[in-house]
Amino acid sequence: MRPPVDPRGLGVGIVHLGLGAFHRAHQAAYTEDAIASAGGRWGICGVTMRSAAVVGQLAPQDGLYTVLCDGGTRTTARVSAAVREVLFAAERTAEVLARIADPAVRVVTLTVTEKGYCHDPATGRLLRQDARVLADVADDGTGPRTALGLLVRGLHRRMRADAGPVTVLSCDNLPHNGATLRGLVAEFTDLLPAAEATALRAWTDAQVRFPGSMVDRIVPATTDADRDRAAAALGVTDAGVVVTEPFRQWVIEDDFAAPRPAWERAGAVLAPDVAPYERVKLRMLNGSHSTLAYLGALAGCRSIADTVADDGFRGLVERMLADEVIPTLDAPDGMDLRDYAGQLLGRFANPALRHRTAQVAMDGSQKLPQRLLATVRACREAGIEPRGSAFAVAAWMRWVWTDRTDDGAPRDLDDPLAPALRTAVAGCTSAEQVVGRLLALPEIFGKDLVDDPVVPGLLTDALARLTADGARTAAGRG
C-alpha cells in the first residue's frame, strides 16, 4: 500500500509541536490530502514534546504510518507520508529552533493539550511563576522545554535570520485559541531582557499571524490489537499506527501571514470567524465527552462507548445538551445543533473506538472551564437552571475527592493541579465541604461561582447523590 503523495518531493514547510496520535490522524491527514489535490512542499517536521517514543516508532519507518479509519462496520487503512522529520525537543532543541527559523517553513501548528500552554485556564493568562516558564526564560543553555519557550525562541531566531513571515496555528481545545496563544507569546516575550523583548514584540506584530481554529475527530490511544489489525491489512509491522473515526472537521480562521497548504481542497472550512464553531464543539462535544468520562470512570466503564450504552448516562447527556447547552449557543450558519447532538452520541457509541474514560478524564482542571463551566455560566445568564451541567461538574469533584471508583477499584488523579486538588479536599467529610473548597480555587472556577446563589447548592446536591448512590444510580435518577 502506497501513500497518496510521494514523500521524496515534499520537503518541510510546516513545523508541528506535539506529535501525538491526534495530529497524525487529523491535521497531517488534511495536509496530505491538500498536497495530493493542489501540490506544494508542505511536509511536516513533527516535534514530540514529552518523550522520544514517537521518534522510536516513526523514524525507522521514514515517518510513514498507518491511519486505520473505523466506522464500526467497516475499517479502511491508508499509509500517510505527510510527516517527513521527527524530532524529540529535549534532545534536539537546536534543530527544532532552526526549523522554526527556516525560511521554507511558513506554518507552525500546535497540539500540546490544554496544560501545554502554561496558562491559567480561567483567565487565559501566562503562569509567570510556573517553574517551567521561569526555566525557559532563564535559558541555562540547554534550550527551552515548553511549547511556548520553543516557539518564542524559534521566532526570535527567525527574526534575526530575516526568514520572513510565518503563521502560528493552535489546534488545541482552548477558547479563542489563536488569540490566547498570541497573548501568551506576547507575555512570554515580555519576560525576556527589555531590548530583546521590544524588538521581538514589534517583529511578531508585523510578521506573525495567530489564526484561531476548531478541530474535531475522535482519536483514541492505539492498542496492540490495533497494531495487529494494521499488520494484517499491510502485511508489515507498523509501530506508529493511529486509529480514528470517519468523521473529521477543521474550521480555520482565514488570517495567514504567508502561503499555506490548500486545506480547503481537503475539506477544511476557511472562515472569517471561528468562535461560533469553537463554542459549539467545546460545549457540546467536549462537554458531553468529559461528562461521560467522569461518570463512566466512576461507574467502572472502561470506554466512552460502554458509558453511552448505559441509558442513565446517555439520558443525562441528552437532557443536558437539549435543555442547557443548545439553548445557550448560537448555531453557525447552516448548522442544526439538535442534529449535531444526535451525531455526537452516535460517534461516541462507535464500538470500534475504545476511547478510554480514564484518558478523557485526564487534566480535568484544565478542561472544565471551557467544556462545562462555560455552559453553567451561560445558563445562569439566560435564567436556565444548569442542573445537568452542575451534575457533570460534581462528577469531576467526586473524581477528585475519592481515590477509588464506585466498585472500589483504585485509580490515580492525573492532573497538573493534582497536589493542590488533593490538598483542597484533604480531610473533607461532606459534599458541602468539598464543593466549598474546590470552588475556592480561582485558577479553575474564577471568583464568581463561589457567591452564585444557585450553583453551589446544585453542586452540593449532585455530589451528595453521587457519593451516596454511585454514579450509575444517581445519573439514572436525573
Coordinates of all heavy atoms in Angstrom, one line a residue, residues 200-272:
L200 N 11.5 41.9 19.5 CA 10.7 40.7 19.1 C 9.2 41.0 19.1 O 8.5 40.5 18.2 CB 11.0 39.6 20.1 CG 10.4 38.2 19.8 CD1 10.6 37.8 18.3 CD2 10.8 37.2 20.8
R201 N 8.7 41.8 20.0 CA 7.3 42.1 20.1 C 6.9 42.9 18.8 O 5.9 42.6 18.1 CB 6.9 43.0 21.3 CG 6.7 42.2 22.6 CD 5.4 41.4 22.6 NE 4.2 42.2 22.4 CZ 3.6 42.7 23.5 NH1 4.0 42.5 24.7 NH2 2.5 43.4 23.3
A202 N 7.7 43.8 18.4 CA 7.4 44.6 17.2 C 7.5 43.7 15.9 O 6.6 43.8 15.0 CB 8.4 45.7 17.0
W203 N 8.5 42.8 15.8 CA 8.6 41.9 14.7 C 7.4 41.0 14.6 O 6.8 40.7 13.6 CB 9.9 41.2 14.7 CG 10.1 40.2 13.6 CD1 10.6 40.5 12.4 CD2 9.7 38.8 13.5 NE1 10.6 39.4 11.5 CE2 10.1 38.4 12.2 CE3 9.2 37.9 14.4 CZ2 9.9 37.0 11.8 CZ3 9.0 36.6 14.1 CH2 9.3 36.2 12.8
T204 N 7.0 40.4 15.8 CA 5.9 39.4 15.8 C 4.6 40.1 15.4 O 3.8 39.5 14.6 CB 5.8 38.9 17.3 OG1 7.0 38.2 17.6 CG2 4.6 37.9 17.3
D205 N 4.4 41.3 15.9 CA 3.2 42.0 15.5 C 3.1 42.2 14.0 O 2.0 42.2 13.4 CB 3.1 43.4 16.2 CG 2.8 43.3 17.7 OD1 2.4 42.2 18.1 OD2 3.1 44.3 18.4
A206 N 4.2 42.4 13.3 CA 4.3 42.7 11.9 C 4.3 41.5 11.0 O 3.8 41.4 9.9 CB 5.5 43.6 11.6
Q207 N 4.9 40.4 11.5 CA 5.3 39.2 10.7 C 4.6 37.9 11.0 O 4.7 37.0 10.3 CB 6.8 39.0 10.8 CG 7.7 40.1 10.3 CD 7.6 40.3 8.7 OE1 7.7 39.3 8.0 NE2 7.4 41.5 8.3
V208 N 3.9 37.9 12.1 CA 3.3 36.6 12.6 C 1.8 36.8 12.7 O 1.3 37.8 13.2 CB 3.9 36.1 13.9 CG1 3.4 34.7 14.3 CG2 5.4 36.1 13.8
R209 N 1.0 35.8 12.3 CA -0.4 35.7 12.5 C -0.7 34.5 13.3 O -0.1 33.5 13.2 CB -1.2 35.6 11.1 CG -1.0 36.9 10.3 CD -1.8 38.1 10.9 NE -1.7 39.3 10.1 CZ -0.8 40.2 10.2 NH1 0.2 40.0 11.1 NH2 -0.8 41.2 9.4
F210 N -1.8 34.6 14.1 CA -2.2 33.6 15.0 C -3.7 33.3 14.8 O -4.6 33.7 15.6 CB -2.0 34.0 16.5 CG -0.6 34.2 16.9 CD1 0.1 35.4 16.7 CD2 0.2 33.1 17.5 CE1 1.4 35.6 17.1 CE2 1.5 33.3 17.8 CZ 2.1 34.6 17.7
P211 N -4.1 32.7 13.7 CA -5.5 32.4 13.4 C -6.1 31.4 14.4 O -5.3 30.6 14.9 CB -5.5 31.9 12.0 CG -4.1 31.3 11.8 CD -3.2 32.2 12.6
G212 N -7.3 31.5 14.7 CA -8.0 30.5 15.5 C -8.4 29.3 14.7 O -8.5 29.4 13.5
S213 N -8.6 28.2 15.4 CA -9.1 27.0 14.6 C -9.9 26.2 15.6 O -9.8 26.2 16.8 CB -7.9 26.2 14.1 OG -7.3 25.5 15.1
M214 N -10.8 25.3 14.9 CA -11.5 24.3 15.7 C -11.3 23.0 15.0 O -11.4 22.9 13.8 CB -13.0 24.7 15.6 CG -13.9 23.7 16.5 SD -14.3 22.2 15.7 CE -15.6 22.7 14.5
V215 N -10.9 22.0 15.8 CA -10.6 20.7 15.3 C -11.6 19.6 15.9 O -11.9 19.8 17.1 CB -9.1 20.3 15.5 CG1 -8.2 21.2 14.8 CG2 -8.8 20.2 17.0
D216 N -11.9 18.6 15.1 CA -12.8 17.6 15.6 C -12.6 16.3 14.9 O -12.7 16.2 13.7 CB -14.3 18.0 15.4 CG -15.3 17.1 16.1 OD1 -14.8 16.1 16.7 OD2 -16.5 17.4 16.0
R217 N -12.1 15.3 15.7 CA -12.0 13.9 15.3 C -11.7 13.1 16.5 O -10.8 13.5 17.3 CB -10.9 13.7 14.2 CG -11.1 12.4 13.4 CD -10.2 12.3 12.3 NE -10.8 11.4 11.3 CZ -10.2 11.0 10.2 NH1 -9.0 11.4 9.9 NH2 -10.8 10.2 9.3
I218 N -12.3 12.0 16.7 CA -12.0 11.2 17.9 C -10.9 10.3 17.5 O -10.9 9.5 16.5 CB -13.3 10.3 18.3 CG1 -14.4 11.3 18.7 CG2 -12.9 9.4 19.4 CD1 -15.7 10.6 19.0
V219 N -9.8 10.3 18.3 CA -8.6 9.5 18.1 C -8.2 8.9 19.4 O -7.5 9.5 20.2 CB -7.5 10.4 17.6 CG1 -6.3 9.5 17.2 CG2 -7.9 11.2 16.3
P220 N -8.7 7.7 19.7 CA -8.3 7.1 21.0 C -6.8 6.6 21.0 O -6.2 6.5 19.9 CB -9.3 5.9 21.1 CG -9.6 5.6 19.7 CD -9.6 6.9 18.9
A221 N -6.3 6.2 22.1 CA -5.0 5.7 22.2 C -4.9 4.3 21.5 O -5.8 3.5 21.5 CB -4.6 5.5 23.7
T222 N -3.8 4.2 20.7 CA -3.6 2.9 20.0 C -3.3 1.8 20.9 O -2.6 1.9 21.9 CB -2.4 3.1 19.0 OG1 -2.7 4.3 18.2 CG2 -2.2 1.9 18.1
T223 N -3.9 0.6 20.6 CA -3.6 -0.6 21.3 C -2.8 -1.6 20.5 O -2.7 -1.5 19.3 CB -5.0 -1.2 21.8 OG1 -5.7 -1.7 20.6 CG2 -5.9 -0.2 22.5
D224 N -2.4 -2.7 21.2 CA -1.7 -3.8 20.5 C -2.6 -4.4 19.5 O -2.2 -4.8 18.4 CB -1.2 -4.8 21.5 CG 0.0 -4.3 22.3 OD1 0.6 -3.3 21.9 OD2 0.2 -4.9 23.4
A225 N -3.9 -4.5 19.8 CA -4.9 -5.1 18.9 C -5.0 -4.2 17.6 O -5.1 -4.8 16.5 CB -6.2 -5.2 19.5
D226 N -4.9 -2.9 17.7 CA -4.9 -2.0 16.6 C -3.6 -2.3 15.7 O -3.7 -2.3 14.5 CB -4.9 -0.6 17.0 CG -6.2 -0.2 17.8 OD1 -7.2 -0.8 17.4 OD2 -6.1 0.6 18.7
R227 N -2.5 -2.5 16.3 CA -1.3 -2.7 15.6 C -1.4 -4.1 14.9 O -0.9 -4.2 13.7 CB -0.1 -2.7 16.5 CG 0.2 -1.3 17.2 CD 1.4 -1.3 18.0 NE 1.5 0.0 18.7 CZ 1.1 0.3 19.9 NH1 0.5 -0.7 20.6 NH2 1.2 1.4 20.4
D228 N -2.0 -5.0 15.5 CA -2.2 -6.3 14.8 C -3.1 -6.2 13.6 O -2.9 -6.8 12.6 CB -2.8 -7.3 15.8 CG -1.8 -7.7 16.9 OD1 -0.6 -7.5 16.7 OD2 -2.3 -8.3 17.9
R229 N -4.2 -5.3 13.7 CA -5.1 -5.1 12.6 C -4.3 -4.4 11.4 O -4.5 -4.8 10.3 CB -6.3 -4.3 13.0 CG -7.3 -5.0 13.9 CD -8.6 -4.2 13.9 NE -8.4 -2.9 14.6 CZ -9.2 -1.9 14.4 NH1 -10.3 -2.0 13.6 NH2 -9.1 -0.8 15.1
A230 N -3.5 -3.5 11.8 CA -2.7 -2.8 10.7 C -1.8 -3.7 10.0 O -1.6 -3.7 8.8 CB -2.0 -1.6 11.3
A231 N -1.1 -4.6 10.8 CA -0.2 -5.6 10.2 C -0.9 -6.5 9.3 O -0.4 -6.9 8.2 CB 0.5 -6.3 11.4
A232 N -2.1 -6.9 9.7 CA -2.9 -7.8 8.8 C -3.3 -7.1 7.5 O -3.3 -7.7 6.4 CB -4.1 -8.3 9.5
A233 N -3.6 -5.8 7.6 CA -4.0 -5.1 6.4 C -2.8 -4.8 5.5 O -3.0 -4.8 4.2 CB -4.7 -3.8 6.8
L234 N -1.6 -4.5 6.0 CA -0.5 -4.1 5.2 C 0.5 -5.3 4.9 O 1.2 -5.2 4.0 CB 0.3 -3.0 5.9 CG -0.2 -1.6 5.7 CD1 -1.5 -1.3 6.4 CD2 0.8 -0.6 6.2
G235 N 0.5 -6.3 5.8 CA 1.5 -7.3 5.6 C 2.8 -7.0 6.2 O 3.8 -7.8 6.0
V236 N 2.9 -5.9 6.9 CA 4.1 -5.5 7.6 C 3.8 -4.9 9.0 O 2.7 -4.5 9.2 CB 5.0 -4.4 6.8 CG1 5.4 -5.0 5.5 CG2 4.1 -3.2 6.6
T237 N 4.7 -4.9 9.9 CA 4.5 -4.4 11.2 C 4.7 -2.8 11.2 O 5.6 -2.3 10.5 CB 5.5 -4.9 12.2 OG1 5.4 -6.3 12.3 CG2 5.3 -4.3 13.6
D238 N 3.7 -2.1 11.8 CA 3.7 -0.7 11.8 C 3.7 -0.3 13.3 O 2.7 -0.4 14.0 CB 2.5 -0.1 11.1 CG 2.5 1.4 11.1 OD1 3.4 2.0 11.7 OD2 1.5 2.0 10.6
A239 N 4.8 0.3 13.8 CA 4.8 0.7 15.2 C 4.1 2.0 15.5 O 3.8 2.4 16.6 CB 6.3 0.9 15.7
G240 N 3.8 2.8 14.4 CA 3.2 4.1 14.5 C 1.7 4.2 14.2 O 1.2 5.4 14.0
V241 N 1.0 3.1 14.1 CA -0.4 3.2 13.6 C -1.2 4.0 14.5 O -1.0 4.1 15.7 CB -1.0 1.8 13.5 CG1 -0.9 1.1 14.9 CG2 -2.3 1.8 12.9
V242 N -2.2 4.8 13.9 CA -3.2 5.5 14.7 C -4.6 5.1 14.2 O -4.7 4.7 13.1 CB -3.0 7.1 14.6 CG1 -1.7 7.5 15.2 CG2 -3.1 7.5 13.1
V243 N -5.5 5.2 15.1 CA -6.9 4.7 14.9 C -7.8 5.9 15.0 O -7.7 6.7 16.0 CB -7.3 3.6 15.8 CG1 -8.7 3.1 15.5 CG2 -6.3 2.5 15.8
T244 N -8.8 6.0 14.1 CA -9.7 7.1 14.2 C -11.1 6.8 13.6 O -11.3 5.6 13.3 CB -9.2 8.4 13.5 OG1 -10.0 9.5 13.8 CG2 -9.0 8.2 12.0
E245 N -12.0 7.7 13.6 CA -13.3 7.5 13.0 C -13.5 8.2 11.7 O -12.6 9.0 11.3 CB -14.3 8.2 14.0 CG -14.1 9.7 14.1 CD -15.1 10.4 14.9 OE1 -16.3 9.9 15.0 OE2 -14.8 11.5 15.5
P246 N -14.5 7.9 10.9 CA -14.7 8.5 9.6 C -14.9 10.0 9.7 O -14.4 10.8 8.8 CB -15.9 7.8 9.0 CG -16.0 6.5 9.7 CD -15.5 6.8 11.1
F247 N -15.6 10.5 10.7 CA -15.9 11.9 10.8 C -14.6 12.7 11.1 O -13.7 12.3 11.9 CB -16.8 12.2 12.0 CG -17.2 13.6 12.1 CD1 -18.4 14.1 11.5 CD2 -16.5 14.5 12.9 CE1 -18.7 15.5 11.7 CE2 -16.8 15.8 13.1 CZ -17.9 16.3 12.5
R248 N -14.5 13.9 10.4 CA -13.4 14.8 10.7 C -13.9 16.2 10.4 O -14.7 16.4 9.4 CB -12.1 14.5 10.0 CG -12.1 14.7 8.5 CD -10.8 14.4 7.9 NE -10.7 14.8 6.5 CZ -9.6 14.6 5.7 NH1 -8.5 14.0 6.2 NH2 -9.6 15.0 4.5
Q249 N -13.4 17.2 11.1 CA -13.8 18.6 10.8 C -12.6 19.5 11.2 O -12.0 19.3 12.2 CB -15.1 19.0 11.6 CG -15.6 20.3 11.3 CD -16.9 20.7 12.1 OE1 -17.1 20.1 13.2 NE2 -17.7 21.5 11.6
W250 N -12.4 20.5 10.4 CA -11.4 21.5 10.7 C -11.9 22.9 10.2 O -12.1 23.0 9.0 CB -10.1 21.2 10.1 CG -8.9 21.9 10.6 CD1 -8.8 22.8 11.7 CD2 -7.5 21.8 10.1 NE1 -7.6 23.2 11.9 CE2 -6.7 22.7 11.0 CE3 -6.9 21.1 9.1 CZ2 -5.4 22.8 10.7 CZ3 -5.6 21.3 8.9 CH2 -4.8 22.1 9.7
V251 N -12.1 23.8 11.1 CA -12.5 25.2 10.8 C -11.4 26.1 11.1 O -10.9 26.1 12.3 CB -13.8 25.6 11.5 CG1 -14.2 27.0 11.0 CG2 -14.9 24.6 11.2
I252 N -10.9 26.9 10.2 CA -9.7 27.7 10.4 C -10.0 29.2 10.1 O -10.6 29.5 9.0 CB -8.5 27.3 9.5 CG1 -8.3 25.7 9.6 CG2 -7.3 28.0 9.8 CD1 -7.4 25.2 8.5
E253 N -9.6 30.1 10.9 CA -9.8 31.5 10.7 C -8.9 31.9 9.5 O -7.7 31.5 9.5 CB -9.4 32.3 11.9 CG -9.6 33.8 11.7 CD -9.1 34.6 13.0 OE1 -8.6 33.9 13.9 OE2 -9.2 35.8 12.9
D254 N -9.5 32.5 8.5 CA -8.7 32.9 7.3 C -7.9 34.1 7.5 O -8.2 35.2 7.1 CB -9.7 33.1 6.1 CG -9.0 33.0 4.8 OD1 -7.8 32.8 4.8 OD2 -9.7 33.2 3.8
D255 N -6.8 33.9 8.2 CA -5.9 35.0 8.6 C -4.4 34.5 8.6 O -3.9 34.0 9.7 CB -6.3 35.6 9.9 CG -5.4 36.8 10.3 OD1 -4.8 37.4 9.4 OD2 -5.3 37.1 11.5
F256 N -3.8 34.5 7.5 CA -2.4 33.9 7.3 C -1.4 34.9 7.0 O -1.7 35.8 6.2 CB -2.5 32.8 6.3 CG -3.2 31.5 6.7 CD1 -4.6 31.5 6.6 CD2 -2.6 30.5 7.3 CE1 -5.3 30.4 7.0 CE2 -3.3 29.3 7.7 CZ -4.6 29.3 7.6
A257 N -0.2 34.7 7.5 CA 0.9 35.7 7.2 C 1.7 35.3 6.0 O 2.4 36.1 5.5 CB 1.8 35.7 8.4
A258 N 1.5 34.1 5.5 CA 2.4 33.5 4.4 C 1.6 32.4 3.7 O 0.5 32.1 4.1 CB 3.7 33.0 5.0
P259 N 2.2 31.9 2.6 CA 1.5 30.8 2.0 C 1.2 29.6 2.9 O 1.8 29.5 3.9 CB 2.5 30.4 0.9 CG 3.3 31.6 0.6 CD 3.4 32.3 1.9
R260 N 0.2 28.8 2.5 CA -0.2 27.7 3.4 C -0.7 26.5 2.4 O -0.9 26.8 1.2 CB -1.4 28.1 4.3 CG -2.6 28.6 3.5 CD -3.8 28.8 4.3 NE -4.9 29.3 3.5 CZ -5.7 28.6 2.7 NH1 -5.5 27.3 2.5 NH2 -6.7 29.2 2.0
P261 N -0.8 25.3 3.0 CA -1.4 24.3 2.2 C -2.9 24.6 1.8 O -3.5 25.4 2.5 CB -1.4 23.0 3.1 CG -0.4 23.4 4.1 CD -0.4 24.9 4.3
A262 N -3.3 24.0 0.7 CA -4.7 24.2 0.3 C -5.7 23.3 1.1 O -6.3 22.4 0.5 CB -4.8 24.0 -1.2
W263 N -5.7 23.6 2.4 CA -6.5 22.7 3.3 C -8.0 22.7 2.9 O -8.7 21.7 3.1 CB -6.4 23.2 4.7 CG -5.0 22.8 5.3 CD1 -4.4 21.6 5.3 CD2 -4.2 23.7 6.1 NE1 -3.2 21.6 6.0 CE2 -3.1 22.9 6.5 CE3 -4.3 25.0 6.5 CZ2 -2.0 23.4 7.3 CZ3 -3.3 25.5 7.3 CH2 -2.2 24.7 7.7
E264 N -8.5 23.8 2.3 CA -9.9 23.8 1.9 C -10.2 22.7 0.8 O -11.3 22.2 0.7 CB -10.3 25.2 1.4 CG -9.7 25.6 0.1 CD -8.3 26.3 0.3 OE1 -7.7 26.0 1.3 OE2 -7.9 27.0 -0.6
R265 N -9.1 22.4 0.0 CA -9.3 21.3 -1.0 C -9.4 19.9 -0.4 O -9.8 19.0 -1.0 CB -8.1 21.4 -2.0 CG -7.9 22.7 -2.7 CD -8.8 22.7 -4.0 NE -8.3 21.8 -5.0 CZ -7.4 22.1 -6.0 NH1 -6.9 23.3 -6.0 NH2 -7.0 21.2 -6.8
A266 N -9.1 19.9 0.9 CA -9.2 18.6 1.7 C -10.4 18.6 2.5 O -10.6 17.6 3.3 CB -7.9 18.4 2.5
G267 N -11.2 19.6 2.5 CA -12.5 19.7 3.2 C -12.5 20.6 4.4 O -13.5 20.7 5.1
A268 N -11.4 21.3 4.7 CA -11.4 22.2 5.8 C -12.2 23.4 5.4 O -12.3 23.8 4.3 CB -9.9 22.6 6.2
V269 N -12.7 24.1 6.4 CA -13.5 25.3 6.2 C -12.7 26.5 6.6 O -12.2 26.6 7.8 CB -14.8 25.3 7.1 CG1 -15.6 26.6 6.9 CG2 -15.7 24.1 6.6
L270 N -12.5 27.4 5.7 CA -11.8 28.7 6.0 C -12.9 29.8 6.2 O -13.7 30.0 5.4 CB -10.9 29.1 4.8 CG -9.5 28.5 4.7 CD1 -8.7 29.0 5.9 CD2 -9.5 27.0 4.6
A271 N -12.9 30.3 7.4 CA -14.0 31.2 7.9 C -13.4 32.5 8.4 O -12.3 32.5 9.0 CB -14.8 30.5 8.9
P272 N -14.2 33.6 8.3 CA -13.8 34.8 8.9 C -13.8 34.8 10.4 O -13.1 35.6 11.1 CB -14.8 35.9 8.4 CG -16.0 35.1 8.0 CD -15.5 33.7 7.6

